[in-house]
Amino acid sequence: MSQVLVPIANGNEDIEAITIIDVLRRGGVDVTVASVHEVKNITGANGCKIEADVLLTDVADVQYDAIVLPGGMPGAEHLRDCELLIDMLEKHDIQDALLCAICASPAVVFGTHGFVVDKQATCYPGFESGLTGAQYMADQPVVMDDNIITGQGPAAAMTFSLAVLANLNGYESAQEVANGLLC
């Protein structure tokens, strides 16, 4: 069973966080939701309350198949500023684990810390200047380049999550979940 870490922070985009968690779990992925704050409860950008499974510090030494970041502001900034998360992303990148981010996070987190240099990537329109060293793909809701998957924003959350699932558990698994969701 694939194991995925979904770090969350106050101000993350509600739709993106919930969609990522839900779609991956429907696909049989073992998803760990980890708060980057000192408490498990976070409030999304639009007021949804989400309780993480653990604190990020509790799983700092776990190797995951993927780390998937929701976007939203100021959630993406909280993720960007979490030194432990950046350390984990670097270690996972070296192991060729999937690094995935949607909305503001591809630019705010991945761009700031060099994960998209010489890659094609997308993000929420208006944040593209933060994709430092990347080729911005404005017309693509989801872009994969090597082990990096990026998505544009809330409307692309389902497609983005299904793309992550397909890369973890295969196209047939993702198609089965998509069919059940009427996608």
Side-chain angles (χ1 to χ4, degrees), residues 6 9 16 30 41 44 49 53 71 77-78 80 85 92 96-97 101 107-108 110 112-113 130 142-144 156 162-163:
V6 179
E16 295 164 359
D30 180 10
N41 295 310
K49 308 286 187 200
D53 303 315
E77 293 172 326
H78 291 303
R80 174 198 67 202
L85 176 59
H92 281 73
D96 285 328
V108 174
F110 287 0
T112 298
H113 293 285
V142 177
V143 174
M144 181 169 187
L162 289 166

Side-chain angles (χ1 to χ4, degrees), residues 13 30 33 112 130 161 175 183:
E13 174 55 50
D30 180 10
V33 181
T112 298
S161 299
Q175 188 61 53
C183 291

Side-chain angles (χ1 to χ4, degrees), residues 5 8 16 21 25 27 57 63 74 97 106 131 139:
L5 176 67
I8 58 172
E16 295 164 359
I21 296 163
R25 286 183 174 163
T57 53
Q63 179 67 36
L131 290 174
D139 61 341

Side-chain angles (χ1 to χ4, degrees), residues 18-84:
I18 295 299
T19 302
I20 291 163
I21 296 163
D22 183 83
V23 167
L24 294 178
R25 286 183 174 163
R26 284 175 192 252
V29 174
D30 180 10
V31 177
T32 300
V33 181
S35 169
V36 300
H37 302 297
E38 294 180 3
V39 295
K40 290 183 183 179
N41 295 310
I42 69 106
T43 302
N46 294 294
C48 290
K49 308 286 187 200
I50 304 171
E51 183 176 353
D53 303 315
V54 296
L55 301 180
L56 189 63
T57 53
D58 297 332
V59 294
D61 295 325
V62 178
Q63 179 67 36
Y64 292 93
D65 298 300
I67 299 177
V68 186
L69 308 181
M73 294 295 283
E77 293 172 326
H78 291 303
L79 298 177
R80 174 198 67 202
D81 297 340
C82 178
E83 291 180 24
L84 176 58

